[in-house]
């Protein structure tokens, strides 16, 4: 929640310079918010990609499938981007933060002073770290360029091995199957998306992918990759077996881009640590999006969220905080994934200790699972149940007691719980 400015909050001077590092979704929202909140000073957005701020979810879905143009992902229409009257330093990499001098140094040596700095540097796709990885071509999926380079592989007659059965791996698998490629997913854990969903959802995902002809290998660790004889690549597994394929995709997680912050001596722990006003351990530096690790009251600990919703909302919150407005950012985690026409949404943090109350069953096309602590809904997961999930979200936010029997009764609409 973002509250109104406290009485007497000092407005930031129009002579001030605010610099945003990272022209992704969080950075784009921070820029937009600074202007919409009335900041009239110098605003500089620095990004090391060749594109204006864009949203990444379509990269594993419509853009990867060739059904949407890369420019459709841009966060701002060109006129709206122009209207922000900011300097956009495109294809520019910030190499160092000199906190003493309140100055940034670019990789080409150029320097830029700031009064307030917002770090929205996101993360990079983790690459495979097995023998042969440095000599065998493989794909990751984080940028528009990554999606455009992988897309031609997704067609009948091509075989793809996806390493990692997490969200990116599974969405690539679904898109690849839809485009007619032969797909194998190799997952080291004993179930899919093990880090983020309970076993019943992993089972549902396994069934869904199996039903669409994706081969899923669980508990399978890769030990090496290599180039084969016939232009194919070869993936070797820990049990000695091998998989030949036309393309390897690594969907093995994200490494937060926090090196800039770490080198500048900011507190970091698997990302840049911020407080609930998005402020780092330096009062003039803020962070938002995939790179930020923030206290989360819903989790009772610090969390780094990798989600579209958080990139937007925390970007907005960090911009407001940089302007001196009162901010208390305490997001209820929310994430969605689209696979084979199934829209899965996860709200809150389901825990093994929760009691599961089901509306529908996970073997059906549409269901909602609510995760209760006592009689209070703490989390919900819905498949093709966006409307019900919105009501579940409200129950979670209101921490309202429910009657579990009524909750399970499909005859009682979620709106009446
Ligand atoms: C393929 C894919 C599919 C996704 N699907 C979903 C989904 O279905 N649902 C969902 O909720 N979320 C999804 N996400 C997650 C969501 O897109 C991210 O959480 C979001 O993009 C994070 O935004 P960000 O601005 O923090 O980081 P990013 O979008 O990564 O932006 C950071 C930018 O900073 C730049 N940068 C880094 N360091 C520097 C530097 N030193 N100098 C200059 N620039 C720098 C980077 O190059 C990058 O352009 C998906 C992500 C991907 C990759």
């Amino acid at each position: 929640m973002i509250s109104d400015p406290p009485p007497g909050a000092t407005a930031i001077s129009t002579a001030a310079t605010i610099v945003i590092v990272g022209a992704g979704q969080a950075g784009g929202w921070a820029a937009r918010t600074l202007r919409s909140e009335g900041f009239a000073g110098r605003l500089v957005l620095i990004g090391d990609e060749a594109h204006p701020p864009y949203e990444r979810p379509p990269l594993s879905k419509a853009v990867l499938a060739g059904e949407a143009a890369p420019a459709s992902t841009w966060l701002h229409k060109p006129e709206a981007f122009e209207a922000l009257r900011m300097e956009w330093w495109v294809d520019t990499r910030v190499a160092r933060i000199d906190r003493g001098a309140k100055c940034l140094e670019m990789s080409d040596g150029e320097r830029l002073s700031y009064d307030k700095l917002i770090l929205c540097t996101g993360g990079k796709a983790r690459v495979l770290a097995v023998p042969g990885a440095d000599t065998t071509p493989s794909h990751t999926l984080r940028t528009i360029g990554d999606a455009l380079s992988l897309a031609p592989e997704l067609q009948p007659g091509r075989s793809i091995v996806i390493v990692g059965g997490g969200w990116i791996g599974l969405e690539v698998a679904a898109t690849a199957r839809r485009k007619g490629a032969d797909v194998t997913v190799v997952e080291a854990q004993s179930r899919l998306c093990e880090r983020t969903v309970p076993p019943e959802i992993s089972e549902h995902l396994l069934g869904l992918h199996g039903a669409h002809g994706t081969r899923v290998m669980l508990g399978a660790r890769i030990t090496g990759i290599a180039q084969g004889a016939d232009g194919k690549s070869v993936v070797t597994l820990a049990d000695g077996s091998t998989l030949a394929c036309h393309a390897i995709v690594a969907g093995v997680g994200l490494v937060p881009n926090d090196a800039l912050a770490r080198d500048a001596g900011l507190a970091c722990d698997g990302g840049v640590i911020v407080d609930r006003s998005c402020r780092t351990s330096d009062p003039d530096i803020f962070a938002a999006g995939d790179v930020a690790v923030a206290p989360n009251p819903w989790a009772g600990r610090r969390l780094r969220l990798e989600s579209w919703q958080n990139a937007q909302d925390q970007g907005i919150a960090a911009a407001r905080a940089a302007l001196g407005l009162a901010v208390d950012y305490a997001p209820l985690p929310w994430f969605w994934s689209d696979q084979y026409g199934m829209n899965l949404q996860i709200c809150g943090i389901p825990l093994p200790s929760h009691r599961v109350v089901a509306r529908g069953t996970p073997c059906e096309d549409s269901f909602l699972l609510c995760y209760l602590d006592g009689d209070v809904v703490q989390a919900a997961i819905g498949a093709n149940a966006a409307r019900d999930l919105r009501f579940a979200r409200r129950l979670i936010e209101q921490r309202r007691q429910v009657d579990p029997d009524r909750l399970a009764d499909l005859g009682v609409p979620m709106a009446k719980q």
Side-chain angles (χ1 to χ4, degrees), residues 21-28 46-49 51 54-61 89 92-95 120-124 141-143 167-168 171-172 254 257 260 288-292 305-312 334-338:
V21 182
Q25 193 189 343
I46 307 176
D48 60 1
E49 292 192 62
H51 308 278
Y54 62 94
E55 297 186 340
R56 296 180 197 270
L59 301 185
S60 47
K61 307 171 184 84
W89 292 22
T92 305
R93 180 158 194 80
V94 176
C120 299
T121 47
K124 58 176 105 33
L141 184 54
R142 182 72 191 171
T143 64
W167 297 114
I168 300 285
E171 289 198 351
V172 171
L254 174 120
N257 286 326
L260 262 187
D290 281 12
V291 77
L305 296 171
E306 291 174 20
S307 74
W308 176 91
Q309 181 77 71
N310 180 63
Q312 172 174 315
W334 177 77
F335 178 85
W336 92 92
S337 175
D338 292 323

Side-chain angles (χ1 to χ4, degrees), residues 55 129 201 217 283 344:
E55 297 186 340
I201 300 299
M217 302 175 71
L344 189 78

